[in-house]
Amino acid sequence: DMKHNKATTRVEHEAEQNERAFQHQDAVFVGRRRQLPSSRGKGLRYFKSVGLGFKTPKAAIDGTYVDKKCPFTGNVSIRGRILTGVVAKMKMQRTIVIRRDYLHYVRKYNRFEKRHKNMSVH
């Protein structure tokens, strides 16, 4: 009982526990009995460089959040096109709505009209 209580408190500072399920990084073994000398005070953390000119943010390296869909700390890869847009809403968890504006050509009037699309991204 005492061992279980110690392990639980140690893991709680490592990851933000704000979901019903226990949050942990898949690449890091949580049940380690003793810590490595280099990682005293802070737990082990998995992060990676995704390439394509994107720098790994400090929050991904030093932070305590757990997100399996994060390209820096999770298990997803960046593939396909890289999209840009303006943030429209930030009400969902780990997902935002962006607005992409573009011009559509109308041949009859020989002019462009403004259009937009909203996309959910994370």
Side-chain angles (χ1 to χ4, degrees), residues 13-16 25 43-45 57-66 73:
H13 354 291
E14 290 178 11
E16 297 167 1
Q25 289 186 304
L44 296 173
R45 183 145 178 90
K58 293 278 186 221
I61 298 169
D62 301 331
T64 58
Y65 72 91
V66 175
T73 61

Side-chain angles (χ1 to χ4, degrees), residues 24-42:
H24 66 94
Q25 289 186 304
D26 289 335
V28 177
F29 180 58
V30 179
R32 176 180 291 278
R33 294 228 184 264
R34 63 179 188 85
Q35 287 184 334
L36 297 173
S38 63
S39 64
R40 296 277 172 192
K42 62 180 182 189

